[in-house]
Amino acid sequence: MKHNPPLSRPLRLLIVWTLVALMVLALWWLRPSRAPAPPGANPSPPATEATSGPPWHYGNAEARFTLVLFADLECEHCRTYFPRLMQWVDAHPDVMLQWHHRPLPIHEPAATQEARLAECLGKVKGAAAFWNAIAWIYQHTRGNGQGLPDDAPPPGMTPAVRHCVNDEASAAAVRSQAEDAVHAGINATPTLHLSDRETGGSTLLQGAVEGDVLLSALDWLAGASPHPLNTPHTEMPADDVSVPR
């Protein structure tokens, strides 16, 4: 029987490395294909929305300015102002909005009941559900302490949400915010507290403050305006705010 001579060591190494190269090439060829990004497309930005509360935040969590809205869910002026303020925040990513419950005595018990509802929808379903609840309540409440009509059940009322609404913890959360607002001297709604995380400055604005005034406040806090802001609470007509009686 004729035997072939054994392969030399260099030849064996050449065959091995050739097989390895072919395997790598095959794996590369069979990799999952991905569609190329369109020209000029940017990578997906990191999520910057706050996702839990209280306090509940809306907008860019890394924004330089924080705008705290002290509001009552039975307040007629808050009802008309809230969607305008949300639109303004959407247009200014350097501002993050924070909600603060300030139910007024003249609107009780409806104001606190609605605040508990919004808190529980947020607790069970997340930040988006909280802000949707605020918008829904303003759209459906009869206002001025009359509360929600019986024929308008809130969306998303799962057993977990109902249990939360009836639990003392939700009442405590709303009560704590209301007490903090009273201690801070917030006696009318809507009231805004604007702060600058870079300079540490802040200002208090009372009433349904329009966008141009808010921009002036931002400039002043940032040091772009040389004079202290003339806050609108001395200029707003009385029917632009709700006050306790």
Side-chain angles (χ1 to χ4, degrees), residues 27-75:
L27 291 173
W28 180 87
W29 181 263
L30 295 174
R31 78 194 191 287
S33 60
R34 298 182 180 178
N42 295 322
S44 299
T48 57
E49 292 282 348
T51 58
S52 63
W56 299 99
H57 296 104
Y58 176 82
N60 181 6
E62 300 177 357
R64 172 174 177 174
F65 301 95
T66 298
L67 184 62
V68 181
L69 171 62
F70 294 84
D72 177 321
L73 288 168
E74 285 289 294
C75 163

Side-chain angles (χ1 to χ4, degrees), residues 37 39 67 74 80 103 107 113 117 121 134 136 140 147 153 169 182 189 194 204 230 237 243:
L67 184 62
E74 285 289 294
T80 57
H107 295 154
Q113 291 171 348
L117 171 62
L121 283 167
I134 297 295
W136 185 91
H140 291 83
V182 171
T189 58
L194 181 62
L204 198 65
N230 183 18
V243 297

Side-chain angles (χ1 to χ4, degrees), residues 72-80 103-112 114 137-138 140-149 189-190 238-245:
D72 177 321
L73 288 168
E74 285 289 294
C75 163
E76 289 291 334
H77 310 299
C78 302
R79 182 214 295 258
T80 57
L104 300 176
I106 57 173
H107 295 154
E108 295 290 27
T112 288
E114 291 163 353
I137 291 169
Y138 276 140
H140 291 83
T141 184
R142 292 166 292 188
N144 291 323
Q146 299 179 79
L148 295 168
T189 58
D239 61 356
D240 278 345
V241 297
S242 292
V243 297
R245 296 173 185 170

Side-chain angles (χ1 to χ4, degrees), residues 68-72 98-102 176-181:
V68 181
L69 171 62
F70 294 84
D72 177 321
Q98 177 180 317
W99 179 273
H100 196 113
H101 293 293
R102 178 46 173 112
S176 175
Q177 291 192 36
E179 291 173 353
D180 288 345

